[in-house]
Amino acid sequence: MNAIEKVGTYSMLMVRTFAIPDRWRMFFRQYVNEIQKQGLDSLAITVIISMFIGAVITIQMVLNTANPLLPDYATGLAVRDTLLLEFSSSILCLILAGKVGSSISSEIGTMRITEQIDALDIMGINSANYLIMPKVTAFMTVIPCLVIASMFFGIFGGYCMAYFTDIITVHQYVYGIQFMFNPFFITYSVIKGVVFAFIIASIASYYGYTVKGGSLEVGKASTDAVVNSSVIILLANVMLTKLMLS
Amino acid sequence: MIEVNNVFKSFDKPVLKGVSTTFETGKTNLIIGQSGSGKTVLMKSVVGIHSVDSGHILYDGRDITQMKRKERILLRREVGMLFQGSALFDSMTILENVMFPLEMFSYDSLEERRKRAIFCLERVELGHALDLYPSEISGGMQKRAAIARAIVLNPKYLFCDEPNSGLDPKTSLLIDRLIQEITHEFNITTIVNTHDMNSVMEIGENIVFINKGEKAWTGTKDDIFTSECEPLNDFVFASNLYKELRKAHAFFVSKKKD
């Protein structure tokens, strides 16, 4: 299947996906389940990664800003902007593309090869709408919470580093993270997160839904979903940054 | 009744070559044939999973090949299907699986939906397994649960794709009899795709033999013994057991005549 054909198939699948659900009650039931599976179950990994990355960025910034011309609070400022602008949206979403994307792709792919999707179709149910729409909408809903949690815990990780070591004083760090704060950076990051969440969930669903064959193909689809969604996230990142920050 | 008129279907090469046949209401209609003969494609074309290249498929006079997507979806709500691998939803219990079509399409109260699902599960003798997951029950029980799910919306048409695959002979017999009982009890047009000769001899009320993409023979299980169709005889009487059975049948028939 060539790239143009894949884009066409993906677009047609999305048209089928974003139709009015057969039963709203069933949609909301699935939606709540997906929020639990994709959101709450991703919170722990988000918190752990963000805290450690925040701590590491703090150490690296102290080393890189060891210059008499730069003020001491530059470390806190750099940590904040790195987390707010890039890590908590783009890098976090690249990490979640691995966790959530592969999970969605393998779940739907397994349903495809075990004829569960055929069973839905035979019942007269729009299987794309029933399976994919709750996943995409749930992930898009929950991602702002994960992005904001990542920002908070990343900055907290840097704070812990300042508190428990002598590389920088807590006062300088706190002053740095407050210095010239632009609230739009949070909005920018959240918007990027929502777009990336759509990319991750929809591309993973597409690869799972169109699987043909057996368990080997499901594994391959899962890998393809992660690789392709990562590449598209990077591309979308450049475009969104140019649109929103230039 | 489902009528198939001059249906052609090809993928890279022709698979169905002008198949015409009738599947009767209240009977178990069997599609038999060797692997690769086109019987699964025929069944999937009749269900509407595959679109046909030409020809007509009429569900009690309604031509599925001429239907729009929405009409086809509505028709599918009259169809129940038993898949080869059961296709039960892994994340749901057996009761939830059977209640699922009702949750999607029925406006009954929760209590009524539950009652209907339990009635169907008890009909297939699975009243004791309501809260178990598909992974916790045997293959035969999964098939029975899938039958309960297929009949829960009172379908007019029931399709069974190789219902005996992976089952021991005794369980296969139970599933076959269950399919036949349900067909008679609810007056359903049932189509079974199989190459299990025990099933053919047990429930073959109307058999369609597909050979190399064409309908080669049609008849009942009793007609098979007197069939002159060579490909059918090669297929049905391939094993020694069935060869002996055929000889015995011919012997008894000649004795009866005498």
Side-chain angles (χ1 to χ4, degrees):
Chain A
M1 202 189 280
N2 63 36
I4 296 171
E5 207 177 332
K6 275 187 182 176
V7 171
T9 317
Y10 169 82
S11 307
M12 283 163 66
L13 180 66
M14 287 303 112
V15 170
R16 278 185 63 205
T17 298
F18 292 100
I20 296 168
D22 291 315
R23 273 290 166 96
W24 282 104
R25 186 184 63 213
M26 296 299 277
F27 167 76
F28 284 117
R29 194 184 291 176
Q30 291 286 92
Y31 176 76
V32 171
N33 282 340
E34 295 300 332
I35 284 191
Q36 158 77 34
K37 273 199 287 187
Q38 296 171 22
L40 299 181
D41 292 354
S42 301
L43 191 60
I45 187 87
T46 302
V47 168
I48 291 167
I49 290 173
S50 301
M51 274 190 75
F52 280 96
I53 292 290
V56 169
I57 292 173
T58 305
I59 298 167
Q60 289 178 352
M61 284 303 158
V62 169
L63 292 172
N64 290 320
T65 56
N67 185 320
L69 293 174
L70 287 170
D72 291 338
Y73 61 78
T75 301
L77 189 146
V79 169
R80 181 200 70 201
D81 283 355
T82 307
L83 288 167
L84 261 58
L85 289 170
E86 208 51 34
F87 176 79
S88 296
S89 51
S90 311
I91 307 299
L92 178 73
C93 282
L94 284 173
I95 294 164
L96 292 180
K99 183 189 177 291
V100 176
S102 63
S103 150
I104 290 176
S105 177
S106 52
E107 182 188 329
I108 297 180
T110 306
M111 288 186 79
R112 169 61 75 194
I113 63 163
T114 54
E115 298 179 312
Q116 291 176 47
I117 294 180
D118 290 338
L120 286 169
D121 288 331
I122 292 296
M123 285 176 205
I125 294 165
N126 178 346
S127 58
N129 174 263
Y130 176 76
L131 291 172
I132 301 173
M133 192 159 95
K135 290 186 196 304
V136 176
T137 48
F139 197 39
M140 286 171 76
T141 312
V142 87
I143 201 77
C145 307
L146 293 176
V147 168
I148 288 167
S150 167
M151 288 173 186
F152 175 80
F153 284 101
I155 289 171
F156 181 67
Y159 179 88
C160 290
M161 191 48 65
Y163 186 83
F164 291 112
T165 66
D166 291 332
I167 57 170
I168 183 177
T169 67
V170 169
H171 174 74
Q172 283 164 346
Y173 180 78
V174 171
Y175 183 77
I177 60 171
Q178 292 174 326
F179 185 74
M180 284 183 74
F181 172 63
N182 182 355
F184 178 70
F185 286 179
I186 295 179
T187 313
Y188 160 75
S189 208
V190 167
I191 291 172
K192 280 207 304 182
V194 171
V195 173
F196 297 160
F198 175 80
I199 291 170
I200 294 168
S202 63
I203 289 180
S205 301
Y206 163 76
Y207 275 97
Y209 197 85
T210 52
V211 155
K212 280 179 186 148
S215 52
L216 272 179
E217 282 75 13
V218 173
K220 190 178 173 302
S222 190
T223 310
D224 289 346
V226 174
V227 171
N228 287 301
S229 54
S230 300
V231 171
I232 293 170
I233 283 172
L234 294 172
L235 192 69
N237 192 23
V238 175
M239 289 163 69
L240 286 171
T241 306
K242 177 70 180 152
L243 279 172
M244 294 171 75
L245 289 188
S246 290
Chain B
M1 184 170 72
I2 297 175
E3 292 163 83
V4 178
N5 292 332
N6 204 24
V7 163
F8 285 84
K9 174 71 186 171
S10 55
F11 292 100
D12 293 334
K13 56 180 184 176
V15 180
L16 298 178
K17 302 166 193 167
V19 176
S20 296
T21 189
T22 302
F23 301 113
E24 293 167 34
T25 304
K27 284 187 179 176
T28 44
N29 301 275
L30 269 60
I31 305 173
I32 61 169
Q34 290 179 346
S35 300
S37 60
K39 62 184 189 304
T40 302
V41 175
L42 174 62
M43 185 181 218
K44 288 190 172 178
S45 300
V46 173
V47 180
I49 294 176
H50 294 324
S51 54
V52 297
D53 297 340
S54 66
H56 299 277
I57 297 163
L58 305 166
Y59 280 67
D60 290 312
R62 294 168 293 170
D63 191 347
I64 193 172
T65 60
Q66 303 295 314
M67 282 181 185
K68 289 179 183 160
R69 200 179 128 72
K70 280 191 177 172
E71 292 171 319
R72 200 177 279 201
I73 286 171
L74 286 175
L75 176 70
R76 278 180 178 173
R77 291 177 190 171
E78 298 175 16
V79 170
M81 183 151 183
L82 171 62
F83 286 87
Q84 194 174 348
S86 302
L88 294 171
F89 304 121
D90 302 325
S91 57
M92 297 180 191
T93 63
I94 296 304
L95 179 62
E96 286 167 345
N97 261 288
V98 178
M99 277 179 76
F100 181 78
L102 296 167
E103 300 272 10
M104 292 302 293
F105 301 120
S106 164
Y107 288 92
D108 294 341
S109 68
L110 177 66
E111 194 49 43
E112 283 169 321
R113 294 198 301 267
R114 200 179 145 82
K115 258 187 194 170
R116 171 71 187 156
I118 291 173
F119 167 78
C120 291
L121 279 166
E122 282 173 350
R123 179 65 192 78
V124 297
E125 296 170 21
L126 276 180
H128 60 285
L130 304 181
D131 297 323
L132 297 177
Y133 283 88
S135 58
E136 296 174 324
I137 60 176
S138 67
M141 288 167 84
Q142 286 181 12
K143 286 270 160 70
R144 283 190 276 152
I147 292 173
R149 188 178 66 180
I151 62 166
V152 75
L153 282 175
N154 282 324
K156 284 185 178 174
Y157 316 97
L158 178 64
F159 293 86
C160 306
D161 186 14
E162 302 200 11
N164 310 97
S165 67
L167 299 180
D168 62 85
K170 198 177 169 189
T171 313
S172 293
L173 193 64
L174 278 174
I175 298 291
D176 285 339
R177 284 183 181 163
L178 188 59
I179 290 169
Q180 194 171 36
E181 283 167 20
I182 284 168
T183 302
H184 294 163
E185 198 175 322
F186 301 108
N187 198 32
I188 302 171
T189 306
T190 298
I191 301 174
V192 181
N193 177 13
T194 187
H195 43 58
D196 181 351
M197 281 310 111
N198 293 330
S199 293
V200 174
M201 296 306 175
E202 189 67 31
I203 59 168
E205 293 173 309
N206 176 33
I207 302 164
V208 179
F209 175 64
I210 302 292
N211 185 46
K212 294 176 183 168
E214 292 172 357
K215 187 184 83 174
W217 182 86
T218 184
T220 66
K221 61 184 179 184
D222 298 321
D223 299 334
I224 282 183
F225 289 104
T226 53
S227 156
E228 299 292 323
C229 176
E230 271 308 307
L232 176 74
N233 293 341
D234 290 346
F235 173 68
V236 175
F237 304 108
S239 73
N240 288 335
L241 175 68
Y242 281 98
K243 275 178 192 154
E244 292 302 319
L245 201 62
R246 193 183 197 199
K247 278 181 197 164
H249 184 270
F251 175 76
F252 280 116
V253 168
S254 64
K255 278 278 174 195
K256 227 178 188 181
K257 277 180 185 169
D258 295 342

